[in-house]
Amino acid sequence: MNTAPASSAAAGEPRWLTDEEQRVWRAYVDATTLLEDHLDRQLQRDAGMPHVYYGLLVKLAEAPRRRLRMTELAKDAKITRSRLSHAVARLEKNGWVRREDCPSDKRGQFAVLTDEGMEVLRRHAPGHVNAVRQAVFDRLTPEQQKSLGEIMGIVAEGLQPIEAGADLPWLR
């Protein structure tokens, strides 16, 4: 709610969003909430997994030897280690991922995409990319796509400070 003009930010007073900023913010929240729901429902219906699990399988498929350290996978997926551990346990149960101990670090583990997990990706990637294309890219001009990518890159970069002690999901 905008209760004060942006220019009246007195000491300790929040810098309220302007009407236009509020419109943009709400459009962003609505779009991202609806998009995540749309993709999650598509993947649940077609592949029997949530969107976040699909994303983990994709990251593993793109990794050398289809394996990543659990800490790197959490960082790449932008999720907490706890959420990753739960997700990998479910993916293991399905036979799509296996864990391997890290020989150089007794506490470390790798998540490895199995052949069965790779097949699941091959089978369901066309439907997923179609859902993404219809929901996002088919609605935007090439210029809008470029702008969206630049904007989201700036936002993501700003939310990932490099200094020690940053409160990032994969560090929790």
Side-chain angles (χ1 to χ4, degrees):
M1 170 182 355
N2 183 356
T3 60
S7 61
S8 69
E13 181 74 14
R15 233 180 93 216
W16 297 106
L17 299 179
T18 65
D19 289 342
E20 180 60 12
E21 289 168 335
Q22 189 68 256
R23 184 195 66 72
V24 169
W25 174 246
R26 288 181 181 174
Y28 166 81
V29 169
D30 290 350
T32 56
T33 300
L34 289 167
L35 179 60
E36 186 60 31
D37 179 70
H38 175 72
L39 296 176
D40 204 55
R41 283 184 298 112
Q42 179 268 319
L43 284 164
Q44 287 285 5
R45 180 189 65 238
D46 297 349
M49 75 176 97
H51 188 219
V52 70
Y53 290 15
Y54 181 87
L56 294 173
L57 296 180
V58 168
K59 291 189 182 308
L60 289 171
E62 294 172 343
R65 298 176 43 216
R66 299 189 326 208
R67 59 192 274 133
L68 282 172
R69 286 192 60 137
M70 292 285 283
T71 52
E72 279 302 305
L73 185 54
K75 182 178 180 183
D76 288 352
K78 311 291 186 256
I79 60 175
T80 64
R81 290 178 290 191
S82 169
R83 185 172 185 199
L84 175 66
S85 183
H86 177 74
V88 168
R90 294 285 308 275
L91 293 169
E92 278 182 302
K93 187 176 178 182
N94 291 341
W96 300 341
V97 170
R98 72 174 180 275
R99 292 185 216 214
E100 293 178 357
D101 290 332
C102 178
S104 63
D105 176 3
K106 297 295 179 198
R107 296 182 330 166
Q109 283 191 319
F110 288 97
V112 182
L113 182 65
T114 65
D115 290 342
E116 187 178 343
M118 192 67 192
E119 182 53 35
V120 166
L121 271 180
R122 279 191 193 104
R123 202 167 46 247
H124 296 291
H128 180 65
V129 76
N130 187 51
V132 170
R133 181 165 296 291
Q134 287 178 346
V136 179
F137 295 100
D138 290 350
R139 298 171 188 271
L140 301 175
T141 66
E143 295 79 22
Q144 289 171 322
Q145 292 174 24
K146 183 178 183 213
S147 293
L148 179 63
E150 290 170 353
I151 291 165
M152 292 294 99
I154 291 167
V155 171
E157 184 179 316
L159 292 170
Q160 299 178 88
I162 55 173
E163 65 265 4
D167 184 21
L168 297 167
W170 55 91
L171 298 176
R172 291 185 226 134

